[in-house]
Amino acid sequence: QVRIVEDGGGEVQPGDSLTLSCAASGSGRDITTMGWYRQAPGTQRELVASISETGVADYAESESVKGRFTISRDNAKNMIYLQMNSLKPEDTAVYYCRVESVSIHWGREGPFWGRGTQVTVAT
């Protein structure tokens, strides 16, 4: 099993910045792709950004986050970060960390999901 700990959510004003963090751990396995998804009330969970173990980042195809959000990774700590700038009310959602891994016994695993962290941007 992979343990996932998310942090950094909160309530902010439009135009503010927030940084989310996600730490993944699990014995006998390598953490591979990690990413952030978000889900607003009444909507489906959607990709915000993901990053491979080699640092290749992938962002949502829509223009909703491009140029404002940046994903980064610290492989030594199995952590990812989501720097969110110029936040808008439409960014309000629960943000979930998603993790894939490779077990030394079972091969590829996942995805595993964190419990989510709430980001609220005032209207």
Short mmCIF file of all heavy atoms in Angstrom, two decimals, residues 16-86:
data_model
loop_
_atom_site.label_atom_id
_atom_site.label_comp_id
_atom_site.label_asym_id
_atom_site.label_seq_id
_atom_site.Cartn_x
_atom_site.Cartn_y
_atom_site.Cartn_z
N ASP A 16 -4.67 35.49 -5.25
CA ASP A 16 -3.69 34.96 -4.30
C ASP A 16 -3.00 33.71 -4.86
O ASP A 16 -3.41 33.17 -5.89
CB ASP A 16 -4.36 34.62 -2.97
CG ASP A 16 -4.67 35.84 -2.14
OD1 ASP A 16 -4.24 36.95 -2.53
OD2 ASP A 16 -5.36 35.71 -1.11
N SER A 17 -2.01 33.26 -4.12
CA SER A 17 -1.27 32.05 -4.47
C SER A 17 -1.35 31.03 -3.34
O SER A 17 -1.50 31.41 -2.16
CB SER A 17 0.20 32.37 -4.75
OG SER A 17 0.33 33.25 -5.85
N LEU A 18 -1.26 29.78 -3.71
CA LEU A 18 -1.18 28.68 -2.75
C LEU A 18 -0.24 27.63 -3.31
O LEU A 18 -0.14 27.48 -4.54
CB LEU A 18 -2.55 28.02 -2.54
CG LEU A 18 -3.52 28.53 -1.50
CD1 LEU A 18 -4.81 27.72 -1.54
CD2 LEU A 18 -2.92 28.51 -0.11
N THR A 19 0.41 26.90 -2.41
CA THR A 19 1.22 25.76 -2.83
C THR A 19 0.73 24.51 -2.11
O THR A 19 0.68 24.48 -0.88
CB THR A 19 2.71 25.97 -2.52
OG1 THR A 19 3.17 27.13 -3.20
CG2 THR A 19 3.52 24.78 -2.98
N LEU A 20 0.35 23.53 -2.89
CA LEU A 20 -0.05 22.23 -2.35
C LEU A 20 1.15 21.29 -2.36
O LEU A 20 1.99 21.37 -3.27
CB LEU A 20 -1.18 21.62 -3.17
CG LEU A 20 -2.43 22.46 -3.40
CD1 LEU A 20 -3.46 21.66 -4.19
CD2 LEU A 20 -3.01 22.93 -2.08
N SER A 21 1.20 20.42 -1.37
CA SER A 21 2.25 19.41 -1.35
C SER A 21 1.63 18.03 -1.16
O SER A 21 0.57 17.90 -0.56
CB SER A 21 3.27 19.69 -0.25
OG SER A 21 2.67 19.57 1.01
N CYS A 22 2.33 17.05 -1.68
CA CYS A 22 1.89 15.66 -1.55
C CYS A 22 3.11 14.80 -1.34
O CYS A 22 4.05 14.85 -2.13
CB CYS A 22 1.14 15.22 -2.79
SG CYS A 22 0.76 13.45 -2.85
N ALA A 23 3.08 14.01 -0.27
CA ALA A 23 4.17 13.08 0.02
C ALA A 23 3.65 11.66 -0.10
O ALA A 23 2.60 11.34 0.46
CB ALA A 23 4.72 13.33 1.42
N ALA A 24 4.39 10.83 -0.82
CA ALA A 24 4.00 9.43 -0.99
C ALA A 24 5.08 8.52 -0.43
O ALA A 24 6.28 8.81 -0.54
CB ALA A 24 3.79 9.13 -2.47
N SER A 25 4.66 7.44 0.17
CA SER A 25 5.62 6.48 0.71
C SER A 25 5.02 5.09 0.68
O SER A 25 3.81 4.91 0.75
CB SER A 25 6.01 6.85 2.14
OG SER A 25 4.88 6.85 2.98
N GLY A 26 5.92 4.10 0.59
CA GLY A 26 5.48 2.72 0.58
C GLY A 26 6.68 1.81 0.49
O GLY A 26 7.51 1.99 -0.40
N SER A 27 6.78 0.88 1.38
CA SER A 27 7.96 0.00 1.38
C SER A 27 7.91 -0.97 0.22
O SER A 27 6.84 -1.40 -0.22
CB SER A 27 8.04 -0.76 2.70
OG SER A 27 6.90 -1.58 2.86
N GLY A 28 9.07 -1.31 -0.29
CA GLY A 28 9.17 -2.29 -1.35
C GLY A 28 8.62 -1.84 -2.69
O GLY A 28 8.22 -2.66 -3.51
N ARG A 29 8.61 -0.54 -2.90
CA ARG A 29 8.08 -0.05 -4.16
C ARG A 29 8.74 1.27 -4.53
O ARG A 29 9.21 2.00 -3.67
CB ARG A 29 6.57 0.12 -4.11
CG ARG A 29 6.09 0.86 -2.90
CD ARG A 29 4.61 0.97 -2.81
NE ARG A 29 3.84 -0.21 -3.07
CZ ARG A 29 3.55 -1.14 -2.18
NH1 ARG A 29 4.01 -1.05 -0.96
NH2 ARG A 29 2.79 -2.19 -2.52
N ASP A 30 8.75 1.54 -5.83
CA ASP A 30 9.20 2.82 -6.34
C ASP A 30 7.99 3.64 -6.75
O ASP A 30 7.10 3.14 -7.44
CB ASP A 30 10.12 2.63 -7.55
CG ASP A 30 11.44 1.99 -7.19
OD1 ASP A 30 11.95 2.26 -6.09
OD2 ASP A 30 11.95 1.20 -8.02
N ILE A 31 8.00 4.90 -6.33
CA ILE A 31 6.94 5.81 -6.72
C ILE A 31 7.23 6.31 -8.12
O ILE A 31 8.33 6.78 -8.40
CB ILE A 31 6.83 6.99 -5.74
CG1 ILE A 31 6.61 6.48 -4.32
CG2 ILE A 31 5.72 7.94 -6.16
CD1 ILE A 31 5.35 5.67 -4.12
N THR A 32 6.28 6.22 -9.00
CA THR A 32 6.50 6.66 -10.38
C THR A 32 5.73 7.95 -10.65
O THR A 32 6.03 8.97 -10.08
CB THR A 32 6.15 5.55 -11.37
OG1 THR A 32 4.80 5.12 -11.16
CG2 THR A 32 7.08 4.35 -11.16
N THR A 33 4.73 7.89 -11.49
CA THR A 33 4.01 9.11 -11.83
C THR A 33 3.16 9.60 -10.65
O THR A 33 2.48 8.81 -10.01
CB THR A 33 3.12 8.89 -13.05
OG1 THR A 33 3.93 8.52 -14.17
CG2 THR A 33 2.34 10.15 -13.40
N MET A 34 3.23 10.90 -10.41
CA MET A 34 2.41 11.54 -9.38
C MET A 34 1.68 12.71 -10.02
O MET A 34 2.17 13.30 -10.99
CB MET A 34 3.27 12.03 -8.22
CG MET A 34 4.07 10.93 -7.54
SD MET A 34 5.14 11.55 -6.21
CE MET A 34 3.92 12.00 -4.96
N GLY A 35 0.55 13.04 -9.47
CA GLY A 35 -0.18 14.14 -10.08
C GLY A 35 -1.24 14.72 -9.18
O GLY A 35 -1.52 14.20 -8.09
N TRP A 36 -1.81 15.81 -9.64
CA TRP A 36 -2.91 16.48 -8.95
C TRP A 36 -4.15 16.47 -9.82
O TRP A 36 -4.09 16.79 -11.02
CB TRP A 36 -2.53 17.93 -8.64
CG TRP A 36 -1.50 18.07 -7.57
CD1 TRP A 36 -0.17 18.31 -7.73
CD2 TRP A 36 -1.74 17.98 -6.16
NE1 TRP A 36 0.45 18.35 -6.51
CE2 TRP A 36 -0.48 18.16 -5.53
CE3 TRP A 36 -2.86 17.76 -5.37
CZ2 TRP A 36 -0.33 18.13 -4.14
CZ3 TRP A 36 -2.70 17.73 -4.00
CH2 TRP A 36 -1.46 17.92 -3.39
N TYR A 37 -5.25 16.10 -9.20
CA TYR A 37 -6.55 16.18 -9.82
C TYR A 37 -7.43 17.06 -8.93
O TYR A 37 -7.12 17.26 -7.76
CB TYR A 37 -7.19 14.79 -9.95
CG TYR A 37 -6.58 13.95 -11.04
CD1 TYR A 37 -5.27 13.52 -10.97
CD2 TYR A 37 -7.34 13.58 -12.15
CE1 TYR A 37 -4.71 12.74 -11.98
CE2 TYR A 37 -6.80 12.80 -13.17
CZ TYR A 37 -5.49 12.39 -13.07
OH TYR A 37 -4.95 11.62 -14.08
N ARG A 38 -8.50 17.56 -9.49
CA ARG A 38 -9.41 18.35 -8.67
C ARG A 38 -10.85 18.02 -9.02
O ARG A 38 -11.16 17.58 -10.13
CB ARG A 38 -9.15 19.85 -8.83
CG ARG A 38 -9.49 20.42 -10.20
CD ARG A 38 -9.10 21.90 -10.25
NE ARG A 38 -9.44 22.50 -11.54
CZ ARG A 38 -9.13 23.74 -11.88
NH1 ARG A 38 -8.47 24.52 -11.01
NH2 ARG A 38 -9.48 24.23 -13.04
N GLN A 39 -11.70 18.24 -8.04
CA GLN A 39 -13.12 17.96 -8.23
C GLN A 39 -13.93 19.03 -7.53
O GLN A 39 -13.85 19.17 -6.31
CB GLN A 39 -13.49 16.58 -7.70
CG GLN A 39 -14.91 16.15 -8.02
CD GLN A 39 -15.14 14.68 -7.70
OE1 GLN A 39 -14.39 14.07 -6.94
NE2 GLN A 39 -16.18 14.11 -8.30
N ALA A 40 -14.68 19.78 -8.32
CA ALA A 40 -15.59 20.78 -7.78
C ALA A 40 -16.96 20.12 -7.55
O ALA A 40 -17.26 19.10 -8.19
CB ALA A 40 -15.71 21.95 -8.75
N PRO A 41 -17.78 20.68 -6.70
CA PRO A 41 -19.10 20.08 -6.45
C PRO A 41 -19.89 19.90 -7.72
O PRO A 41 -19.97 20.81 -8.56
CB PRO A 41 -19.76 21.10 -5.51
CG PRO A 41 -18.64 21.78 -4.83
CD PRO A 41 -17.54 21.86 -5.85
N GLY A 42 -20.45 18.72 -7.91
CA GLY A 42 -21.29 18.46 -9.06
C GLY A 42 -20.54 18.20 -10.35
O GLY A 42 -21.15 18.12 -11.42
N THR A 43 -19.22 18.07 -10.28
CA THR A 43 -18.44 17.84 -11.49
C THR A 43 -17.60 16.57 -11.34
O THR A 43 -17.45 16.02 -10.25
CB THR A 43 -17.50 19.01 -11.80
OG1 THR A 43 -16.46 19.06 -10.80
CG2 THR A 43 -18.26 20.33 -11.80
N GLN A 44 -17.04 16.13 -12.46
CA GLN A 44 -16.15 14.96 -12.42
C GLN A 44 -14.75 15.39 -12.01
O GLN A 44 -14.34 16.54 -12.22
CB GLN A 44 -16.11 14.30 -13.80
CG GLN A 44 -17.40 13.61 -14.20
CD GLN A 44 -17.24 12.81 -15.48
OE1 GLN A 44 -16.45 13.17 -16.35
NE2 GLN A 44 -17.98 11.73 -15.60
N ARG A 45 -14.02 14.46 -11.44
CA ARG A 45 -12.64 14.72 -11.09
C ARG A 45 -11.85 14.91 -12.39
O ARG A 45 -12.01 14.14 -13.35
CB ARG A 45 -12.08 13.56 -10.29
CG ARG A 45 -10.77 13.86 -9.57
CD ARG A 45 -10.39 12.72 -8.65
NE ARG A 45 -11.37 12.55 -7.56
CZ ARG A 45 -11.19 11.72 -6.55
NH1 ARG A 45 -10.09 10.97 -6.48
NH2 ARG A 45 -12.11 11.61 -5.61
N GLU A 46 -11.00 15.93 -12.41
CA GLU A 46 -10.26 16.24 -13.62
C GLU A 46 -8.78 16.41 -13.33
O GLU A 46 -8.39 16.84 -12.24
CB GLU A 46 -10.79 17.52 -14.27
CG GLU A 46 -10.65 18.76 -13.42
CD GLU A 46 -11.10 20.02 -14.13
OE1 GLU A 46 -11.63 19.95 -15.26
OE2 GLU A 46 -10.89 21.12 -13.56
N LEU A 47 -7.98 16.11 -14.33
CA LEU A 47 -6.54 16.28 -14.21
C LEU A 47 -6.20 17.77 -14.12
O LEU A 47 -6.73 18.58 -14.88
CB LEU A 47 -5.84 15.68 -15.42
CG LEU A 47 -4.35 16.00 -15.57
CD1 LEU A 47 -3.53 15.27 -14.50
CD2 LEU A 47 -3.85 15.64 -16.97
N VAL A 48 -5.31 18.09 -13.20
CA VAL A 48 -4.72 19.42 -13.16
C VAL A 48 -3.33 19.34 -13.77
O VAL A 48 -3.01 20.05 -14.72
CB VAL A 48 -4.65 19.96 -11.73
CG1 VAL A 48 -3.94 21.32 -11.71
CG2 VAL A 48 -6.04 20.06 -11.13
N ALA A 49 -2.49 18.48 -13.21
CA ALA A 49 -1.13 18.31 -13.71
C ALA A 49 -0.56 17.02 -13.15
O ALA A 49 -0.92 16.59 -12.05
CB ALA A 49 -0.25 19.48 -13.32
N SER A 50 0.32 16.40 -13.91
CA SER A 50 1.03 15.22 -13.45
C SER A 50 2.50 15.35 -13.80
O SER A 50 2.88 16.18 -14.65
CB SER A 50 0.44 13.95 -14.05
OG SER A 50 0.65 13.92 -15.45
N ILE A 51 3.32 14.54 -13.14
CA ILE A 51 4.75 14.61 -13.39
C ILE A 51 5.35 13.22 -13.21
O ILE A 51 5.05 12.52 -12.24
CB ILE A 51 5.42 15.66 -12.48
CG1 ILE A 51 6.89 15.85 -12.86
CG2 ILE A 51 5.25 15.32 -11.01
CD1 ILE A 51 7.51 17.09 -12.23
N SER A 52 6.18 12.83 -14.16
CA SER A 52 6.79 11.51 -14.10
C SER A 52 8.00 11.53 -13.17
O SER A 52 8.45 12.59 -12.71
CB SER A 52 7.24 11.10 -15.50
OG SER A 52 8.37 11.85 -15.90
N GLU A 53 8.54 10.34 -12.92
CA GLU A 53 9.71 10.25 -12.06
C GLU A 53 10.94 10.88 -12.71
O GLU A 53 11.91 11.20 -12.02
CB GLU A 53 10.00 8.78 -11.69
CG GLU A 53 10.33 7.89 -12.87
CD GLU A 53 9.12 7.25 -13.48
OE1 GLU A 53 8.04 7.88 -13.52
OE2 GLU A 53 9.25 6.09 -13.94
N THR A 54 10.89 11.09 -14.01
CA THR A 54 12.00 11.77 -14.69
C THR A 54 11.75 13.27 -14.83
O THR A 54 12.55 13.97 -15.43
CB THR A 54 12.22 11.17 -16.08
OG1 THR A 54 11.01 11.29 -16.84
CG2 THR A 54 12.62 9.70 -15.99
N GLY A 55 10.64 13.74 -14.28
CA GLY A 55 10.38 15.17 -14.27
C GLY A 55 9.60 15.72 -15.44
O GLY A 55 9.49 16.93 -15.60
N VAL A 56 9.05 14.83 -16.24
CA VAL A 56 8.25 15.30 -17.38
C VAL A 56 6.85 15.65 -16.87
O VAL A 56 6.15 14.81 -16.33
CB VAL A 56 8.16 14.22 -18.47
CG1 VAL A 56 7.25 14.70 -19.60
CG2 VAL A 56 9.55 13.90 -19.00
N ALA A 57 6.48 16.89 -17.06
CA ALA A 57 5.19 17.39 -16.56
C ALA A 57 4.15 17.41 -17.66
O ALA A 57 4.45 17.67 -18.83
CB ALA A 57 5.36 18.79 -15.98
N ASP A 58 2.94 17.17 -17.25
CA ASP A 58 1.81 17.18 -18.18
C ASP A 58 0.68 17.96 -17.51
O ASP A 58 0.32 17.68 -16.36
CB ASP A 58 1.35 15.74 -18.45
CG ASP A 58 0.21 15.67 -19.44
OD1 ASP A 58 0.13 16.57 -20.31
OD2 ASP A 58 -0.59 14.73 -19.36
N TYR A 59 0.14 18.93 -18.22
CA TYR A 59 -0.91 19.77 -17.66
C TYR A 59 -2.23 19.52 -18.37
O TYR A 59 -2.27 19.03 -19.49
CB TYR A 59 -0.52 21.25 -17.78
CG TYR A 59 0.64 21.63 -16.91
CD1 TYR A 59 1.95 21.53 -17.38
CD2 TYR A 59 0.44 22.08 -15.60
CE1 TYR A 59 3.03 21.86 -16.57
CE2 TYR A 59 1.51 22.41 -14.79
CZ TYR A 59 2.79 22.31 -15.28
OH TYR A 59 3.86 22.65 -14.48
N ALA A 60 -3.29 19.91 -17.70
CA ALA A 60 -4.62 19.79 -18.28
C ALA A 60 -4.63 20.48 -19.65
O ALA A 60 -4.02 21.53 -19.83
CB ALA A 60 -5.65 20.43 -17.37
N GLU A 61 -5.34 19.86 -20.60
CA GLU A 61 -5.36 20.42 -21.95
C GLU A 61 -6.09 21.75 -22.02
O GLU A 61 -5.75 22.60 -22.85
CB GLU A 61 -6.03 19.43 -22.90
CG GLU A 61 -5.21 18.17 -23.14
CD GLU A 61 -5.81 17.26 -24.17
OE1 GLU A 61 -6.89 17.60 -24.68
OE2 GLU A 61 -5.22 16.21 -24.47
N SER A 62 -7.04 21.93 -21.15
CA SER A 62 -7.78 23.19 -21.18
C SER A 62 -6.89 24.33 -20.75
O SER A 62 -5.83 24.13 -20.16
CB SER A 62 -9.00 23.11 -20.27
OG SER A 62 -8.60 23.10 -18.93
N GLU A 63 -7.33 25.53 -21.04
CA GLU A 63 -6.55 26.71 -20.68
C GLU A 63 -6.76 27.12 -19.24
O GLU A 63 -6.22 28.12 -18.79
CB GLU A 63 -6.95 27.88 -21.61
CG GLU A 63 -6.66 27.64 -23.08
CD GLU A 63 -5.17 27.46 -23.32
OE1 GLU A 63 -4.39 28.24 -22.76
OE2 GLU A 63 -4.79 26.54 -24.08
N SER A 64 -7.49 26.28 -18.49
CA SER A 64 -7.90 26.69 -17.16
C SER A 64 -6.74 26.90 -16.20
O SER A 64 -6.81 27.74 -15.32
CB SER A 64 -8.87 25.66 -16.58
OG SER A 64 -8.25 24.40 -16.50
N VAL A 65 -5.65 26.11 -16.37
CA VAL A 65 -4.56 26.23 -15.41
C VAL A 65 -3.24 26.62 -16.06
O VAL A 65 -2.29 26.98 -15.37
CB VAL A 65 -4.37 24.92 -14.63
CG1 VAL A 65 -5.66 24.55 -13.91
CG2 VAL A 65 -3.91 23.79 -15.53
N LYS A 66 -3.16 26.54 -17.38
CA LYS A 66 -1.90 26.83 -18.06
C LYS A 66 -1.42 28.24 -17.75
O LYS A 66 -2.18 29.20 -17.78
CB LYS A 66 -2.07 26.65 -19.57
CG LYS A 66 -2.11 25.21 -20.00
CD LYS A 66 -2.20 25.09 -21.51
CE LYS A 66 -2.22 23.62 -21.94
NZ LYS A 66 -2.36 23.47 -23.40
N GLY A 67 -0.15 28.33 -17.45
CA GLY A 67 0.45 29.62 -17.16
C GLY A 67 0.24 30.09 -15.73
O GLY A 67 0.88 31.05 -15.30
N ARG A 68 -0.63 29.42 -14.99
CA ARG A 68 -0.88 29.83 -13.60
C ARG A 68 -0.40 28.78 -12.61
O ARG A 68 0.02 29.12 -11.51
CB ARG A 68 -2.37 30.08 -13.39
CG ARG A 68 -2.96 31.20 -14.23
CD ARG A 68 -4.38 31.53 -13.78
NE ARG A 68 -5.28 30.39 -13.94
CZ ARG A 68 -6.00 29.87 -12.95
NH1 ARG A 68 -5.91 30.36 -11.72
NH2 ARG A 68 -6.82 28.84 -13.17
N PHE A 69 -0.49 27.51 -12.98
CA PHE A 69 -0.12 26.42 -12.07
C PHE A 69 1.18 25.77 -12.55
O PHE A 69 1.39 25.59 -13.76
CB PHE A 69 -1.21 25.35 -12.04
CG PHE A 69 -2.49 25.78 -11.39
CD1 PHE A 69 -2.74 27.09 -11.02
CD2 PHE A 69 -3.48 24.83 -11.12
CE1 PHE A 69 -3.92 27.47 -10.42
CE2 PHE A 69 -4.67 25.19 -10.52
CZ PHE A 69 -4.89 26.51 -10.18
N THR A 70 2.01 25.40 -11.60
CA THR A 70 3.26 24.72 -11.92
C THR A 70 3.43 23.52 -11.00
O THR A 70 3.35 23.68 -9.77
CB THR A 70 4.46 25.64 -11.76
OG1 THR A 70 4.29 26.79 -12.60
CG2 THR A 70 5.74 24.93 -12.16
N ILE A 71 3.67 22.36 -11.58
CA ILE A 71 3.92 21.17 -10.78
C ILE A 71 5.42 20.92 -10.74
O ILE A 71 6.14 21.15 -11.72
CB ILE A 71 3.17 19.94 -11.36
CG1 ILE A 71 3.21 18.77 -10.37
CG2 ILE A 71 3.70 19.55 -12.73
CD1 ILE A 71 2.27 17.62 -10.75
N SER A 72 5.91 20.48 -9.58
CA SER A 72 7.32 20.15 -9.44
C SER A 72 7.45 18.93 -8.55
O SER A 72 6.48 18.52 -7.90
CB SER A 72 8.10 21.33 -8.87
OG SER A 72 7.62 21.69 -7.59
N ARG A 73 8.67 18.40 -8.51
CA ARG A 73 8.84 17.12 -7.82
C ARG A 73 10.20 17.07 -7.14
O ARG A 73 11.19 17.57 -7.67
CB ARG A 73 8.73 16.00 -8.85
CG ARG A 73 8.89 14.61 -8.29
CD ARG A 73 8.48 13.59 -9.30
NE ARG A 73 8.57 12.25 -8.76
CZ ARG A 73 7.83 11.23 -9.14
NH1 ARG A 73 6.91 11.40 -10.08
NH2 ARG A 73 7.98 10.04 -8.59
N ASP A 74 10.22 16.43 -5.97
CA ASP A 74 11.44 16.12 -5.24
C ASP A 74 11.51 14.60 -5.11
O ASP A 74 10.84 14.02 -4.25
CB ASP A 74 11.43 16.80 -3.88
CG ASP A 74 12.72 16.58 -3.10
OD1 ASP A 74 13.46 15.63 -3.42
OD2 ASP A 74 12.98 17.35 -2.16
N ASN A 75 12.28 13.97 -5.97
CA ASN A 75 12.33 12.50 -5.98
C ASN A 75 12.92 11.93 -4.70
O ASN A 75 12.54 10.85 -4.26
CB ASN A 75 13.14 12.00 -7.17
CG ASN A 75 12.33 12.04 -8.46
OD1 ASN A 75 11.10 12.05 -8.44
ND2 ASN A 75 13.01 12.07 -9.59
N ALA A 76 13.85 12.65 -4.10
CA ALA A 76 14.48 12.15 -2.88
C ALA A 76 13.46 11.99 -1.76
O ALA A 76 13.61 11.13 -0.89
CB ALA A 76 15.60 13.09 -2.46
N LYS A 77 12.43 12.83 -1.80
CA LYS A 77 11.40 12.79 -0.76
C LYS A 77 10.10 12.19 -1.25
O LYS A 77 9.13 12.09 -0.49
CB LYS A 77 11.13 14.21 -0.25
CG LYS A 77 12.33 14.88 0.39
CD LYS A 77 11.98 16.28 0.84
CE LYS A 77 13.18 16.97 1.48
NZ LYS A 77 12.86 18.35 1.90
N ASN A 78 10.05 11.80 -2.52
CA ASN A 78 8.80 11.33 -3.12
C ASN A 78 7.67 12.33 -2.86
O ASN A 78 6.58 11.97 -2.41
CB ASN A 78 8.41 9.95 -2.60
CG ASN A 78 9.19 8.84 -3.28
OD1 ASN A 78 9.60 8.96 -4.43
ND2 ASN A 78 9.43 7.76 -2.55
N MET A 79 7.97 13.56 -3.16
CA MET A 79 6.99 14.63 -2.96
C MET A 79 6.77 15.40 -4.26
O MET A 79 7.68 15.55 -5.08
CB MET A 79 7.46 15.62 -1.90
CG MET A 79 7.47 15.05 -0.50
SD MET A 79 7.80 16.29 0.75
CE MET A 79 6.29 17.26 0.70
N ILE A 80 5.56 15.86 -4.42
CA ILE A 80 5.26 16.80 -5.49
C ILE A 80 4.63 18.04 -4.90
O ILE A 80 4.07 18.01 -3.79
CB ILE A 80 4.34 16.20 -6.58
CG1 ILE A 80 2.99 15.76 -5.98
CG2 ILE A 80 5.04 15.08 -7.31
CD1 ILE A 80 1.96 15.39 -7.07
N TYR A 81 4.72 19.10 -5.67
CA TYR A 81 4.17 20.37 -5.26
C TYR A 81 3.35 20.95 -6.41
O TYR A 81 3.67 20.73 -7.58
CB TYR A 81 5.30 21.35 -4.91
CG TYR A 81 6.25 20.80 -3.88
CD1 TYR A 81 7.38 20.09 -4.27
CD2 TYR A 81 6.02 20.96 -2.52
CE1 TYR A 81 8.25 19.56 -3.35
CE2 TYR A 81 6.90 20.43 -1.58
CZ TYR A 81 8.01 19.74 -2.00
OH TYR A 81 8.86 19.21 -1.08
N LEU A 82 2.33 21.68 -6.06
CA LEU A 82 1.55 22.39 -7.07
C LEU A 82 1.52 23.86 -6.66
O LEU A 82 0.85 24.21 -5.69
CB LEU A 82 0.14 21.83 -7.20
CG LEU A 82 -0.68 22.44 -8.33
CD1 LEU A 82 -0.12 22.02 -9.70
CD2 LEU A 82 -2.16 22.03 -8.22
N GLN A 83 2.28 24.66 -7.38
CA GLN A 83 2.28 26.10 -7.15
C GLN A 83 1.13 26.70 -7.95
O GLN A 83 1.10 26.58 -9.18
CB GLN A 83 3.61 26.72 -7.58
CG GLN A 83 3.65 28.24 -7.49
CD GLN A 83 3.59 28.74 -6.06
OE1 GLN A 83 4.23 28.19 -5.18
NE2 GLN A 83 2.81 29.77 -5.83
N MET A 84 0.19 27.31 -7.25
CA MET A 84 -0.99 27.88 -7.91
C MET A 84 -0.97 29.39 -7.73
O MET A 84 -1.01 29.88 -6.59
CB MET A 84 -2.26 27.29 -7.30
CG MET A 84 -2.32 25.77 -7.36
SD MET A 84 -3.88 25.09 -6.76
CE MET A 84 -3.76 25.51 -5.02
N ASN A 85 -0.88 30.10 -8.83
CA ASN A 85 -0.85 31.56 -8.81
C ASN A 85 -2.12 32.12 -9.44
O ASN A 85 -2.82 31.43 -10.18
CB ASN A 85 0.38 32.06 -9.58
CG ASN A 85 1.67 31.63 -8.95
OD1 ASN A 85 1.79 31.51 -7.73
ND2 ASN A 85 2.67 31.38 -9.78
N SER A 86 -2.37 33.37 -9.15
CA SER A 86 -3.52 34.08 -9.74
C SER A 86 -4.80 33.26 -9.62
O SER A 86 -5.53 33.05 -10.59
CB SER A 86 -3.25 34.40 -11.21
OG SER A 86 -2.08 35.18 -11.34
#
